Amino acid sequence: MILAGTAISLLLNLLAVFYLISVFAICLMIVFENRNPLKTLSWLLVILFVPVIGVIVYFFFGRNYRKQKIYTRKSMADSARMADHADRQVMLLSGVLSGESDAVRSKEHLIHLMLRNNRSLLTLDNRIDLLVNGRQTFPAMLDAIASANSFIHLEFYRIEPDTLGMEFSELMMRKAKEGVKVRVIYDDVGSWNIRKPYIKMMREAGVEIYPFMPVRFPSFSSKINYRNHRKILVVDGKVGFVGGLNIADKYLHGLPHLGPWVDTHLRVEGEAVAALDRVFIADWDFVSGEELPPDRSLDNVLRTENRCLVQVASSGPDTDWANIMQVYFSAIATAKSSIYLTSPYFSPDESLLTALKTAALSGVDVRMIFPESSDSIIANWNTRSYITELLEAGVRIFLYRNGFIHSKYLLVDNIFSSVGSPNVDVRSFDLDFEVTALVYDEDFALRLGVLFAEDLKNCTEIRLHEWEKRRKRDRYKESMARIFGPLY
C-alpha cells in the first residue's frame, strides 16, 4: 500500500511538472505569435488562472491558423487574373467615377481600399432589392430557385432539415432531376443537425453537396474555430442573394423566448452577381476539389441598365488582411455626417471602437441598434459592456425590443452601405469566412435609411444617466463577458 501510494504521488508530481512545462511553452508560443496585445493578454489570463480547462480551450479555439494555409485559394492563374483586373481598375478608377455624384466620389478611397486589399472588383450595372425578414427573403429565394435553368449555387452557415429547410431541399432536388446543376455548401458546425441520411437523399437526387471544413478527429482542433458564416445564393448567374438570414424555421417564425426574428437580405441582379458567384466558386473548389471555370457566370449576367455601384467583399482566415473590418474602419473614420449601424453582436477591436467614439466626438451623428434580448447570453453581456464608453462619447444607442434583431448593416453619410453576413465582432472580422455587398448609391442608401428609421421605432434609446444606475451584478456580468470577447 505504501509503495502504491508513493507511485501515485510520484506520477502526480510528474504530471504537475509536465503541465507546468506545457503551460510555460504555450504562453511563450502565444507571446511570439505577435497578436493583438489585448487578445494575447486574454489568452494568457485564461491559461494561467483556469487550470487545465484553459489549456484545453486554447487548444481547440485559440491557436492562430490565419496565415498557415488552412484554406487553399483557387488556382494561381485565376488569382493572378483577378489581381490584374483589380490593378487595372485602380488605375482607371478616377475616370470611371468622373460622371458620378460628389457623394459617390467622396467614397473613392473605400473603393480603392477594397480593390487593393481584397481584389473586390467594382461593378457598375446592378439592381438591388432590399428584403426585410424571412417573409420577404425566403419566397424570393424559392422563386429564383424554381426558375433555374442552368445552375444553382447555394452556400449557408446554417441549413436545418426542418420545414423550411426541407422546402428548399425538395425544390433543389426537383431542379437537379430536371437537369439543373445544383451545388450546395453548408458549414459543418453551423449545420450540425444535418445527418448522413439527408446528405444521401440529396446526392441520390443529383444535388452535389459538401460540408465546409468538416470537424473530424484528430484534425478538428485546427478547424473548429474557423467557420464559413457566408450566406450566398446564385441562380444561373442572373440573380444573387446575400445577407444575414440562414435557412431554418426560426429565421422565418422567430423564437418563443425572443419573439420575431428581424433580419435583412439583398436580392441582386447585374454584374455584382458574377462577383458573388466567384466567392462561391472559390469555396466550391476548396470543399469539392473540382475547379470550376473562372468567371463562368459573366456570360449569363442580366443587364439591368441601372447604374448602381457595388463591390462584393469577402474575408476570412485565408486573406492577408481583415478586409471587411478595414473598410468598416475607413468608412467610419472618414464619415462626415452620419453613421447608422445595426449588429446583433458587438465586440469590436480597439481601432474600430476608437473610430466610432472619435466620429461621435467630432460631431458625426452616430446611432447604433443592438438587440434588447439575444440568443447568446455571453455575447449580449459583452455587447452591453461597451455601452457606457460609447454613450460618453456621444454615440446614441438603441435596444431593439420587438423581437431579436439579427440584421447586419452599416450606412455612412447616406451614400455608403454594407449589407451581408458579418457581425461587428472579432469572430466575424478575424476568424470566420464572411461576405458582404458594399453599395455606393444614394437611392439604395435612402431605402436602407428608411429601414433604419423603421427599426428605431421598435427600439428604446439608452440614456447615460439611466444606464449608470443599472445593477452592480449586471456590471460584473458585463466585465466578465468582455474578457472573453477577444477569444471567440
Side-chain angles (χ1 to χ4, degrees):
M1 291 293 292
I2 296 175
L3 289 176
T6 302
I8 292 173
S9 178
L10 179 61
L11 178 61
L12 291 175
N13 288 334
L14 288 173
L15 288 174
V17 171
F18 177 76
Y19 175 77
L20 290 174
I21 293 173
S22 299
V23 167
F24 180 74
I26 291 171
C27 289
L28 284 178
M29 184 169 59
I30 293 172
V31 171
F32 291 145
E33 282 180 343
N34 292 323
R35 301 189 191 190
N36 179 292
L38 178 61
K39 184 173 287 190
T40 298
L41 288 173
S42 295
W43 276 117
L44 290 175
L45 288 172
V46 168
I47 289 172
L48 292 174
F49 293 103
V50 187
V52 182
I53 295 176
V55 173
I56 294 172
V57 171
Y58 173 78
F59 183 74
F60 289 122
F61 297 102
R63 290 186 292 172
N64 186 7
Y65 290 94
R66 184 178 180 87
K67 305 297 185 183
Q68 297 183 23
K69 307 299 182 183
I70 61 170
Y71 175 95
T72 303
R73 278 186 172 274
K74 283 172 52 59
S75 69
M76 291 300 293
D78 186 29
S79 182
R81 187 183 300 108
M82 290 296 295
D84 183 58
H85 289 334
D87 290 342
R88 192 178 304 118
Q89 280 203 343
V90 167
M91 291 186 293
L92 300 174
L93 188 57
S94 294
V96 171
L97 299 180
S98 61
E100 300 296 331
S101 67
D102 291 343
V104 171
R105 284 189 283 112
S106 71
K107 302 306 176 185
E108 180 177 345
H109 64 290
L110 302 180
I111 300 173
H112 189 104
L113 169 66
M114 298 312 293
L115 284 168
R116 293 295 300 277
N117 74 356
N118 191 223
R119 297 169 184 166
S120 299
L121 299 183
L122 179 65
T123 63
L124 310 176
D125 177 32
N126 299 287
R127 178 176 290 111
I128 301 178
D129 293 326
L130 183 61
L131 304 175
V132 181
N133 299 333
R135 295 191 182 279
Q136 291 185 12
T137 304
F138 296 128
M141 285 183 176
L142 291 167
D143 287 345
I145 292 173
S147 68
N149 294 311
S150 177
F151 67 86
I152 298 165
H153 289 166
L154 186 143
E155 176 178 359
F156 277 81
Y157 173 70
R158 175 165 293 147
I159 302 174
E160 294 282 353
D162 52 19
T163 302
L164 180 65
M166 289 310 300
E167 186 176 358
F168 271 84
S169 301
E170 289 167 1
L171 181 56
M172 288 189 291
M173 289 189 290
R174 176 160 63 83
K175 298 303 293 187
K177 290 176 181 178
E178 292 174 2
V180 175
K181 199 72 173 177
V182 182
R183 300 181 177 94
V184 177
I185 302 173
Y186 65 92
D187 185 79
D188 199 53
V189 173
S191 302
W192 65 276
N193 277 331
I194 287 183
R195 299 289 185 263
K196 290 182 179 180
Y198 175 90
I199 302 299
K200 181 181 179 182
M201 173 188 69
M202 295 284 279
R203 288 177 174 167
E204 287 179 347
V207 175
E208 299 179 55
I209 180 169
Y210 289 92
F212 190 93
M213 217 175 280
V215 178
R216 302 290 184 270
F217 185 84
S219 63
F220 68 100
S221 65
S222 65
K223 299 177 179 180
I224 193 169
N225 205 32
Y226 297 89
R227 305 318 315 165
N228 191 324
H229 196 242
R230 293 168 180 161
K231 291 93 175 170
I232 296 173
L233 171 61
V234 175
V235 177
D236 292 346
K238 296 179 178 179
V239 59
F241 294 82
V242 64
L245 285 156
N246 289 293
I247 299 175
D249 284 344
K250 71 177 183 179
Y251 298 95
L252 179 61
H253 304 299
L255 294 169
H257 63 291
L258 292 177
W261 193 281
V262 182
D263 223 320
T264 310
H265 226 81
L266 300 181
R267 181 185 185 276
V268 183
E269 293 178 351
E271 296 172 344
V273 177
L276 193 60
D277 200 31
R278 278 194 292 270
V279 178
F280 176 91
I281 289 172
D283 289 344
W284 183 259
D285 292 350
F286 173 65
V287 301
S288 70
E290 174 192 8
E291 188 167 318
L292 298 179
D295 300 337
R296 62 188 302 276
S297 61
L298 286 174
D299 295 334
N300 302 315
V301 166
L302 182 65
R303 302 299 171 184
T304 69
E305 305 301 328
N306 183 66
R307 186 83 168 183
C308 177
L309 277 57
V310 178
Q311 286 177 297
V312 174
S314 60
S315 68
D318 60 318
T319 59
D320 293 330
W321 308 100
N323 310 314
I324 296 176
M325 188 281 288
Q326 287 185 342
V327 76
Y328 272 43
F329 169 82
S330 185
I332 290 167
T334 58
K336 301 299 183 184
S337 60
S338 61
I339 300 167
Y340 300 150
L341 174 66
T342 301
S343 180
Y345 317 111
F346 184 78
S347 183
D349 67 3
E350 195 63 31
S351 62
L352 196 60
L353 182 64
T354 299
L356 285 164
K357 293 190 292 186
T358 303
L361 288 167
S362 302
V364 176
D365 179 16
V366 184
R367 306 186 191 193
M368 304 169 66
I369 297 177
F370 301 140
E372 185 173 64
S373 300
S374 175
D375 62 343
S376 172
I377 295 175
I378 293 179
N380 194 36
W381 286 113
N382 184 33
T383 295
R384 289 168 177 256
S385 73
Y386 293 93
I387 290 178
T388 298
E389 58 189 298
L390 289 169
L391 291 175
E392 288 174 341
V395 177
R396 297 180 67 184
I397 304 293
F398 301 83
L399 296 184
Y400 193 92
R401 64 176 185 271
N402 189 26
F404 174 51
I405 190 162
H406 191 255
S407 296
K408 312 153 194 296
Y409 60 82
L410 171 67
L411 175 59
V412 177
D413 293 341
N414 296 312
I415 183 62
F416 169 78
S417 309
S418 171
V419 179
S421 65
N423 302 301
V424 183
D425 62 13
V426 174
R427 167 160 291 282
S428 282
F429 289 149
D430 200 43
L431 299 175
D432 285 345
F433 295 83
E434 304 281 4
V435 64
T436 191
L438 307 176
V439 186
Y440 309 86
D441 185 80
E442 289 162 292
D443 177 66
F444 179 78
L446 177 62
R447 284 181 277 156
L448 192 59
V450 170
L451 174 62
F452 188 82
E454 289 298 316
D455 287 339
L456 285 180
K457 293 178 181 178
N458 293 301
C459 293
T460 300
E461 183 170 5
I462 299 178
R463 307 292 182 181
L464 180 58
H465 67 277
E466 297 173 352
W467 182 250
E468 290 177 335
K469 297 176 183 178
R470 68 195 187 283
R471 297 174 300 183
K472 284 188 177 181
R473 63 180 180 183
D474 289 345
R475 301 185 187 206
Y476 296 148
K477 291 176 183 177
E478 293 164 12
S479 299
M480 291 301 298
R482 185 154 173 169
I483 292 174
F484 294 96
L487 305 186
Y488 59 79

